[in-house]
Amino acid sequence: GSHFVLVDAQNRIRGYYDAFEPASVEALNSRCWARAVLAYLEEDARDLVLTTQLPGRDAPARRRVLAELSAIRSQGYSVTQGEQLQGAVGIAAPVFAAGDRVVGSLLLTVPELRFSAVPLKKVVKALRAQATALSYRLGGDPACAAAS
């Protein structure tokens, strides 16, 4: 469909669950977890999102976003810094279900100050391992997100 929902997010440092409104197509290109999904959507679904989000058919912006999504597919994860929350780094890996279709992503948000002390490769490896385990449980093939 054209809607994605963030099911759960836990803020372990503060000890509470954050509540998020369901994200519509309009929000998909503006969040790290959503980009990890958007990069793996079929072309027609991805085009719908980009057409919705890039009013006036801004060709340079569309090319830039498509290049970013291609990079996400190539590396198998999405990373943003300070985009949704100032002072935070978001890292997301896609999750797949039966039919090898992307159905969501796992997101880790880390304060920038702490993130600099941990190598990105180490964080990505752990996050992708969890996304892979979840994909297996959902009947998907996590190899769909394997880096090229």
PDB file of all heavy atoms in Angstrom, residues 3-10 17-24 27-28 31-34 37 84 92 103-109:
ATOM      1  N   HIS A   3       0.970   3.404   2.562  1.00  0.00           N
ATOM      2  CA  HIS A   3       1.216   3.876   3.919  1.00  0.00           C
ATOM      3  C   HIS A   3       2.134   2.916   4.654  1.00  0.00           C
ATOM      4  O   HIS A   3       2.070   1.711   4.471  1.00  0.00           O
ATOM      5  CB  HIS A   3      -0.088   4.015   4.695  1.00  0.00           C
ATOM      6  CG  HIS A   3      -0.887   5.184   4.240  1.00  0.00           C
ATOM      7  ND1 HIS A   3      -1.610   5.174   3.079  1.00  0.00           N
ATOM      8  CD2 HIS A   3      -1.044   6.412   4.778  1.00  0.00           C
ATOM      9  CE1 HIS A   3      -2.207   6.342   2.930  1.00  0.00           C
ATOM     10  NE2 HIS A   3      -1.875   7.113   3.931  1.00  0.00           N
ATOM     11  N   PHE A   4       2.984   3.482   5.477  1.00  0.00           N
ATOM     12  CA  PHE A   4       3.879   2.706   6.306  1.00  0.00           C
ATOM     13  C   PHE A   4       3.682   3.183   7.733  1.00  0.00           C
ATOM     14  O   PHE A   4       3.456   4.358   7.973  1.00  0.00           O
ATOM     15  CB  PHE A   4       5.333   2.928   5.883  1.00  0.00           C
ATOM     16  CG  PHE A   4       5.594   2.419   4.503  1.00  0.00           C
ATOM     17  CD1 PHE A   4       5.319   3.199   3.402  1.00  0.00           C
ATOM     18  CD2 PHE A   4       6.065   1.145   4.315  1.00  0.00           C
ATOM     19  CE1 PHE A   4       5.530   2.738   2.130  1.00  0.00           C
ATOM     20  CE2 PHE A   4       6.283   0.666   3.049  1.00  0.00           C
ATOM     21  CZ  PHE A   4       6.017   1.465   1.949  1.00  0.00           C
ATOM     22  N   VAL A   5       3.787   2.275   8.665  1.00  0.00           N
ATOM     23  CA  VAL A   5       3.546   2.618  10.055  1.00  0.00           C
ATOM     24  C   VAL A   5       4.753   2.229  10.887  1.00  0.00           C
ATOM     25  O   VAL A   5       5.257   1.118  10.776  1.00  0.00           O
ATOM     26  CB  VAL A   5       2.296   1.890  10.586  1.00  0.00           C
ATOM     27  CG1 VAL A   5       2.078   2.189  12.057  1.00  0.00           C
ATOM     28  CG2 VAL A   5       1.074   2.261   9.766  1.00  0.00           C
ATOM     29  N   LEU A   6       5.220   3.138  11.697  1.00  0.00           N
ATOM     30  CA  LEU A   6       6.245   2.821  12.667  1.00  0.00           C
ATOM     31  C   LEU A   6       5.549   2.122  13.816  1.00  0.00           C
ATOM     32  O   LEU A   6       4.710   2.716  14.500  1.00  0.00           O
ATOM     33  CB  LEU A   6       6.940   4.094  13.156  1.00  0.00           C
ATOM     34  CG  LEU A   6       8.029   3.896  14.191  1.00  0.00           C
ATOM     35  CD1 LEU A   6       9.138   3.014  13.636  1.00  0.00           C
ATOM     36  CD2 LEU A   6       8.582   5.236  14.605  1.00  0.00           C
ATOM     37  N   VAL A   7       5.851   0.862  14.008  1.00  0.00           N
ATOM     38  CA  VAL A   7       5.128   0.053  14.978  1.00  0.00           C
ATOM     39  C   VAL A   7       5.573   0.340  16.399  1.00  0.00           C
ATOM     40  O   VAL A   7       4.770   0.470  17.304  1.00  0.00           O
ATOM     41  CB  VAL A   7       5.302  -1.452  14.663  1.00  0.00           C
ATOM     42  CG1 VAL A   7       4.619  -2.293  15.720  1.00  0.00           C
ATOM     43  CG2 VAL A   7       4.749  -1.757  13.286  1.00  0.00           C
ATOM     44  N   ASP A   8       6.862   0.474  16.617  1.00  0.00           N
ATOM     45  CA  ASP A   8       7.328   0.633  17.982  1.00  0.00           C
ATOM     46  C   ASP A   8       8.685   1.317  17.986  1.00  0.00           C
ATOM     47  O   ASP A   8       9.500   1.093  17.108  1.00  0.00           O
ATOM     48  CB  ASP A   8       7.445  -0.735  18.641  1.00  0.00           C
ATOM     49  CG  ASP A   8       7.757  -0.647  20.125  1.00  0.00           C
ATOM     50  OD1 ASP A   8       7.418   0.371  20.751  1.00  0.00           O
ATOM     51  OD2 ASP A   8       8.323  -1.606  20.656  1.00  0.00           O
ATOM     52  N   ALA A   9       8.904   2.128  18.954  1.00  0.00           N
ATOM     53  CA  ALA A   9      10.207   2.748  19.155  1.00  0.00           C
ATOM     54  C   ALA A   9      10.409   2.888  20.652  1.00  0.00           C
ATOM     55  O   ALA A   9       9.529   3.352  21.357  1.00  0.00           O
ATOM     56  CB  ALA A   9      10.267   4.110  18.491  1.00  0.00           C
ATOM     57  N   GLN A  10      11.530   2.433  21.114  1.00  0.00           N
ATOM     58  CA  GLN A  10      11.795   2.520  22.539  1.00  0.00           C
ATOM     59  C   GLN A  10      12.980   3.423  22.786  1.00  0.00           C
ATOM     60  O   GLN A  10      14.016   3.292  22.154  1.00  0.00           O
ATOM     61  CB  GLN A  10      12.087   1.136  23.120  1.00  0.00           C
ATOM     62  CG  GLN A  10      12.285   1.197  24.618  1.00  0.00           C
ATOM     63  CD  GLN A  10      12.543  -0.154  25.232  1.00  0.00           C
ATOM     64  OE1 GLN A  10      12.760  -1.127  24.546  1.00  0.00           O
ATOM     65  NE2 GLN A  10      12.533  -0.216  26.534  1.00  0.00           N
ATOM     66  N   TYR A  17       8.432   4.757  25.946  1.00  0.00           N
ATOM     67  CA  TYR A  17       8.201   4.518  24.525  1.00  0.00           C
ATOM     68  C   TYR A  17       7.783   5.822  23.862  1.00  0.00           C
ATOM     69  O   TYR A  17       6.929   6.528  24.359  1.00  0.00           O
ATOM     70  CB  TYR A  17       7.097   3.475  24.323  1.00  0.00           C
ATOM     71  CG  TYR A  17       7.573   2.075  24.565  1.00  0.00           C
ATOM     72  CD1 TYR A  17       7.541   1.511  25.823  1.00  0.00           C
ATOM     73  CD2 TYR A  17       8.089   1.321  23.515  1.00  0.00           C
ATOM     74  CE1 TYR A  17       7.996   0.225  26.041  1.00  0.00           C
ATOM     75  CE2 TYR A  17       8.546   0.041  23.722  1.00  0.00           C
ATOM     76  CZ  TYR A  17       8.502  -0.504  24.989  1.00  0.00           C
ATOM     77  OH  TYR A  17       8.953  -1.766  25.193  1.00  0.00           O
ATOM     78  N   ASP A  18       8.398   6.114  22.728  1.00  0.00           N
ATOM     79  CA  ASP A  18       8.003   7.282  21.949  1.00  0.00           C
ATOM     80  C   ASP A  18       6.793   6.922  21.109  1.00  0.00           C
ATOM     81  O   ASP A  18       6.722   5.829  20.564  1.00  0.00           O
ATOM     82  CB  ASP A  18       9.136   7.721  21.013  1.00  0.00           C
ATOM     83  CG  ASP A  18      10.305   8.306  21.780  1.00  0.00           C
ATOM     84  OD1 ASP A  18      10.057   8.934  22.819  1.00  0.00           O
ATOM     85  OD2 ASP A  18      11.444   8.136  21.340  1.00  0.00           O
ATOM     86  N   ALA A  19       5.856   7.814  20.994  1.00  0.00           N
ATOM     87  CA  ALA A  19       4.680   7.588  20.155  1.00  0.00           C
ATOM     88  C   ALA A  19       4.879   8.307  18.837  1.00  0.00           C
ATOM     89  O   ALA A  19       5.275   9.467  18.818  1.00  0.00           O
ATOM     90  CB  ALA A  19       3.434   8.096  20.857  1.00  0.00           C
ATOM     91  N   PHE A  20       4.618   7.617  17.757  1.00  0.00           N
ATOM     92  CA  PHE A  20       4.751   8.186  16.426  1.00  0.00           C
ATOM     93  C   PHE A  20       3.430   8.045  15.702  1.00  0.00           C
ATOM     94  O   PHE A  20       2.746   7.047  15.820  1.00  0.00           O
ATOM     95  CB  PHE A  20       5.822   7.449  15.613  1.00  0.00           C
ATOM     96  CG  PHE A  20       7.215   7.689  16.103  1.00  0.00           C
ATOM     97  CD1 PHE A  20       7.740   6.919  17.122  1.00  0.00           C
ATOM     98  CD2 PHE A  20       8.003   8.670  15.548  1.00  0.00           C
ATOM     99  CE1 PHE A  20       9.037   7.124  17.568  1.00  0.00           C
ATOM    100  CE2 PHE A  20       9.293   8.886  15.986  1.00  0.00           C
ATOM    101  CZ  PHE A  20       9.804   8.112  16.998  1.00  0.00           C
ATOM    102  N   GLU A  21       3.104   9.048  14.931  1.00  0.00           N
ATOM    103  CA  GLU A  21       1.936   8.954  14.063  1.00  0.00           C
ATOM    104  C   GLU A  21       2.312   8.090  12.870  1.00  0.00           C
ATOM    105  O   GLU A  21       3.462   8.071  12.460  1.00  0.00           O
ATOM    106  CB  GLU A  21       1.530  10.350  13.575  1.00  0.00           C
ATOM    107  CG  GLU A  21       0.994  11.243  14.669  1.00  0.00           C
ATOM    108  CD  GLU A  21      -0.292  10.708  15.265  1.00  0.00           C
ATOM    109  OE1 GLU A  21      -1.144  10.224  14.506  1.00  0.00           O
ATOM    110  OE2 GLU A  21      -0.430  10.764  16.490  1.00  0.00           O
ATOM    111  N   PRO A  22       1.350   7.379  12.293  1.00  0.00           N
ATOM    112  CA  PRO A  22       1.653   6.627  11.080  1.00  0.00           C
ATOM    113  C   PRO A  22       2.233   7.558  10.022  1.00  0.00           C
ATOM    114  O   PRO A  22       1.801   8.695   9.877  1.00  0.00           O
ATOM    115  CB  PRO A  22       0.289   6.085  10.637  1.00  0.00           C
ATOM    116  CG  PRO A  22      -0.521   6.073  11.899  1.00  0.00           C
ATOM    117  CD  PRO A  22      -0.031   7.236  12.713  1.00  0.00           C
ATOM    118  N   ALA A  23       3.231   7.078   9.341  1.00  0.00           N
ATOM    119  CA  ALA A  23       3.886   7.885   8.304  1.00  0.00           C
ATOM    120  C   ALA A  23       3.222   7.632   6.962  1.00  0.00           C
ATOM    121  O   ALA A  23       3.075   6.501   6.547  1.00  0.00           O
ATOM    122  CB  ALA A  23       5.368   7.527   8.237  1.00  0.00           C
ATOM    123  N   SER A  24       2.831   8.671   6.314  1.00  0.00           N
ATOM    124  CA  SER A  24       2.208   8.540   5.002  1.00  0.00           C
ATOM    125  C   SER A  24       3.279   8.592   3.931  1.00  0.00           C
ATOM    126  O   SER A  24       4.458   8.793   4.214  1.00  0.00           O
ATOM    127  CB  SER A  24       1.200   9.662   4.790  1.00  0.00           C
ATOM    128  OG  SER A  24       1.876  10.887   4.695  1.00  0.00           O
ATOM    129  N   ALA A  27       5.921  11.311   3.988  1.00  0.00           N
ATOM    130  CA  ALA A  27       7.010  11.332   4.961  1.00  0.00           C
ATOM    131  C   ALA A  27       8.136  10.366   4.620  1.00  0.00           C
ATOM    132  O   ALA A  27       9.163  10.375   5.272  1.00  0.00           O
ATOM    133  CB  ALA A  27       6.467  10.999   6.346  1.00  0.00           C
ATOM    134  N   LEU A  28       7.966   9.544   3.610  1.00  0.00           N
ATOM    135  CA  LEU A  28       8.926   8.466   3.380  1.00  0.00           C
ATOM    136  C   LEU A  28      10.334   8.916   3.043  1.00  0.00           C
ATOM    137  O   LEU A  28      11.274   8.232   3.380  1.00  0.00           O
ATOM    138  CB  LEU A  28       8.432   7.524   2.284  1.00  0.00           C
ATOM    139  CG  LEU A  28       7.450   6.493   2.769  1.00  0.00           C
ATOM    140  CD1 LEU A  28       7.044   5.588   1.623  1.00  0.00           C
ATOM    141  CD2 LEU A  28       8.008   5.681   3.905  1.00  0.00           C
ATOM    142  N   ARG A  31      12.864  10.453   6.473  1.00  0.00           N
ATOM    143  CA  ARG A  31      13.270   9.733   7.681  1.00  0.00           C
ATOM    144  C   ARG A  31      14.228   8.594   7.319  1.00  0.00           C
ATOM    145  O   ARG A  31      14.039   7.910   6.323  1.00  0.00           O
ATOM    146  CB  ARG A  31      12.046   9.177   8.384  1.00  0.00           C
ATOM    147  CG  ARG A  31      11.142  10.262   8.927  1.00  0.00           C
ATOM    148  CD  ARG A  31       9.981   9.654   9.695  1.00  0.00           C
ATOM    149  NE  ARG A  31       9.252  10.663  10.410  1.00  0.00           N
ATOM    150  CZ  ARG A  31       8.128  11.217   9.960  1.00  0.00           C
ATOM    151  NH1 ARG A  31       7.622  10.857   8.798  1.00  0.00           N
ATOM    152  NH2 ARG A  31       7.509  12.125  10.678  1.00  0.00           N
ATOM    153  N   CYS A  32      15.210   8.377   8.161  1.00  0.00           N
ATOM    154  CA  CYS A  32      16.215   7.344   7.922  1.00  0.00           C
ATOM    155  C   CYS A  32      15.573   5.969   7.759  1.00  0.00           C
ATOM    156  O   CYS A  32      15.870   5.236   6.821  1.00  0.00           O
ATOM    157  CB  CYS A  32      17.204   7.341   9.085  1.00  0.00           C
ATOM    158  SG  CYS A  32      18.542   6.154   8.906  1.00  0.00           S
ATOM    159  N   TRP A  33      14.693   5.604   8.692  1.00  0.00           N
ATOM    160  CA  TRP A  33      14.067   4.272   8.625  1.00  0.00           C
ATOM    161  C   TRP A  33      13.243   4.127   7.361  1.00  0.00           C
ATOM    162  O   TRP A  33      13.179   3.054   6.769  1.00  0.00           O
ATOM    163  CB  TRP A  33      13.209   4.004   9.866  1.00  0.00           C
ATOM    164  CG  TRP A  33      12.021   4.905  10.027  1.00  0.00           C
ATOM    165  CD1 TRP A  33      11.960   6.078  10.735  1.00  0.00           C
ATOM    166  CD2 TRP A  33      10.722   4.724   9.461  1.00  0.00           C
ATOM    167  NE1 TRP A  33      10.706   6.627  10.633  1.00  0.00           N
ATOM    168  CE2 TRP A  33       9.926   5.820   9.868  1.00  0.00           C
ATOM    169  CE3 TRP A  33      10.148   3.742   8.652  1.00  0.00           C
ATOM    170  CZ2 TRP A  33       8.591   5.958   9.493  1.00  0.00           C
ATOM    171  CZ3 TRP A  33       8.814   3.880   8.284  1.00  0.00           C
ATOM    172  CH2 TRP A  33       8.054   4.977   8.705  1.00  0.00           C
ATOM    173  N   ALA A  34      12.629   5.214   6.917  1.00  0.00           N
ATOM    174  CA  ALA A  34      11.797   5.157   5.722  1.00  0.00           C
ATOM    175  C   ALA A  34      12.643   5.065   4.457  1.00  0.00           C
ATOM    176  O   ALA A  34      12.269   4.390   3.498  1.00  0.00           O
ATOM    177  CB  ALA A  34      10.888   6.371   5.669  1.00  0.00           C
ATOM    178  N   VAL A  37      13.466   1.631   3.618  1.00  0.00           N
ATOM    179  CA  VAL A  37      12.347   0.953   2.953  1.00  0.00           C
ATOM    180  C   VAL A  37      12.245   1.438   1.515  1.00  0.00           C
ATOM    181  O   VAL A  37      12.159   0.640   0.573  1.00  0.00           O
ATOM    182  CB  VAL A  37      11.017   1.215   3.701  1.00  0.00           C
ATOM    183  CG1 VAL A  37       9.832   0.692   2.909  1.00  0.00           C
ATOM    184  CG2 VAL A  37      11.055   0.603   5.097  1.00  0.00           C
ATOM    185  N   GLN A  84      16.374  14.266  11.406  1.00  0.00           N
ATOM    186  CA  GLN A  84      15.067  14.256  12.059  1.00  0.00           C
ATOM    187  C   GLN A  84      15.156  14.827  13.481  1.00  0.00           C
ATOM    188  O   GLN A  84      14.222  15.430  13.966  1.00  0.00           O
ATOM    189  CB  GLN A  84      14.514  12.825  12.098  1.00  0.00           C
ATOM    190  CG  GLN A  84      13.060  12.722  12.420  1.00  0.00           C
ATOM    191  CD  GLN A  84      12.183  13.352  11.342  1.00  0.00           C
ATOM    192  OE1 GLN A  84      12.556  13.426  10.181  1.00  0.00           O
ATOM    193  NE2 GLN A  84      11.031  13.841  11.731  1.00  0.00           N
ATOM    194  N   ALA A  92      19.539   2.678   9.727  1.00  0.00           N
ATOM    195  CA  ALA A  92      18.423   1.766   9.521  1.00  0.00           C
ATOM    196  C   ALA A  92      18.779   0.698   8.494  1.00  0.00           C
ATOM    197  O   ALA A  92      19.468   0.975   7.513  1.00  0.00           O
ATOM    198  CB  ALA A  92      17.184   2.532   9.054  1.00  0.00           C
ATOM    199  N   VAL A 103       9.322  -4.859   3.938  1.00  0.00           N
ATOM    200  CA  VAL A 103       8.130  -4.590   4.744  1.00  0.00           C
ATOM    201  C   VAL A 103       8.403  -3.622   5.880  1.00  0.00           C
ATOM    202  O   VAL A 103       7.495  -3.242   6.612  1.00  0.00           O
ATOM    203  CB  VAL A 103       7.518  -5.891   5.313  1.00  0.00           C
ATOM    204  CG1 VAL A 103       6.975  -6.751   4.197  1.00  0.00           C
ATOM    205  CG2 VAL A 103       8.521  -6.646   6.170  1.00  0.00           C
ATOM    206  N   GLY A 104       9.639  -3.227   6.039  1.00  0.00           N
ATOM    207  CA  GLY A 104       9.965  -2.302   7.120  1.00  0.00           C
ATOM    208  C   GLY A 104      11.464  -2.185   7.281  1.00  0.00           C
ATOM    209  O   GLY A 104      12.230  -2.612   6.417  1.00  0.00           O
ATOM    210  N   SER A 105      11.863  -1.609   8.389  1.00  0.00           N
ATOM    211  CA  SER A 105      13.287  -1.483   8.684  1.00  0.00           C
ATOM    212  C   SER A 105      13.475  -1.413  10.192  1.00  0.00           C
ATOM    213  O   SER A 105      12.544  -1.098  10.931  1.00  0.00           O
ATOM    214  CB  SER A 105      13.873  -0.240   8.021  1.00  0.00           C
ATOM    215  OG  SER A 105      13.310   0.935   8.563  1.00  0.00           O
ATOM    216  N   LEU A 106      14.677  -1.737  10.604  1.00  0.00           N
ATOM    217  CA  LEU A 106      15.071  -1.558  12.007  1.00  0.00           C
ATOM    218  C   LEU A 106      15.924  -0.299  12.066  1.00  0.00           C
ATOM    219  O   LEU A 106      16.817  -0.111  11.240  1.00  0.00           O
ATOM    220  CB  LEU A 106      15.884  -2.743  12.509  1.00  0.00           C
ATOM    221  CG  LEU A 106      15.149  -4.040  12.725  1.00  0.00           C
ATOM    222  CD1 LEU A 106      16.104  -5.101  13.258  1.00  0.00           C
ATOM    223  CD2 LEU A 106      14.006  -3.847  13.705  1.00  0.00           C
ATOM    224  N   LEU A 107      15.648   0.532  13.042  1.00  0.00           N
ATOM    225  CA  LEU A 107      16.359   1.802  13.182  1.00  0.00           C
ATOM    226  C   LEU A 107      17.029   1.884  14.538  1.00  0.00           C
ATOM    227  O   LEU A 107      16.442   1.533  15.564  1.00  0.00           O
ATOM    228  CB  LEU A 107      15.366   2.973  13.045  1.00  0.00           C
ATOM    229  CG  LEU A 107      15.872   4.358  13.438  1.00  0.00           C
ATOM    230  CD1 LEU A 107      16.896   4.859  12.433  1.00  0.00           C
ATOM    231  CD2 LEU A 107      14.718   5.329  13.557  1.00  0.00           C
ATOM    232  N   LEU A 108      18.244   2.351  14.517  1.00  0.00           N
ATOM    233  CA  LEU A 108      18.978   2.641  15.743  1.00  0.00           C
ATOM    234  C   LEU A 108      19.297   4.124  15.718  1.00  0.00           C
ATOM    235  O   LEU A 108      19.847   4.632  14.738  1.00  0.00           O
ATOM    236  CB  LEU A 108      20.276   1.831  15.798  1.00  0.00           C
ATOM    237  CG  LEU A 108      21.211   2.128  16.960  1.00  0.00           C
ATOM    238  CD1 LEU A 108      20.566   1.719  18.283  1.00  0.00           C
ATOM    239  CD2 LEU A 108      22.529   1.423  16.764  1.00  0.00           C
ATOM    240  N   THR A 109      18.933   4.830  16.762  1.00  0.00           N
ATOM    241  CA  THR A 109      19.251   6.250  16.880  1.00  0.00           C
ATOM    242  C   THR A 109      20.259   6.401  18.014  1.00  0.00           C
ATOM    243  O   THR A 109      20.041   5.891  19.110  1.00  0.00           O
ATOM    244  CB  THR A 109      17.990   7.080  17.175  1.00  0.00           C
ATOM    245  OG1 THR A 109      17.033   6.826  16.147  1.00  0.00           O
ATOM    246  CG2 THR A 109      18.309   8.554  17.199  1.00  0.00           C
TER     247      THR A 109
END
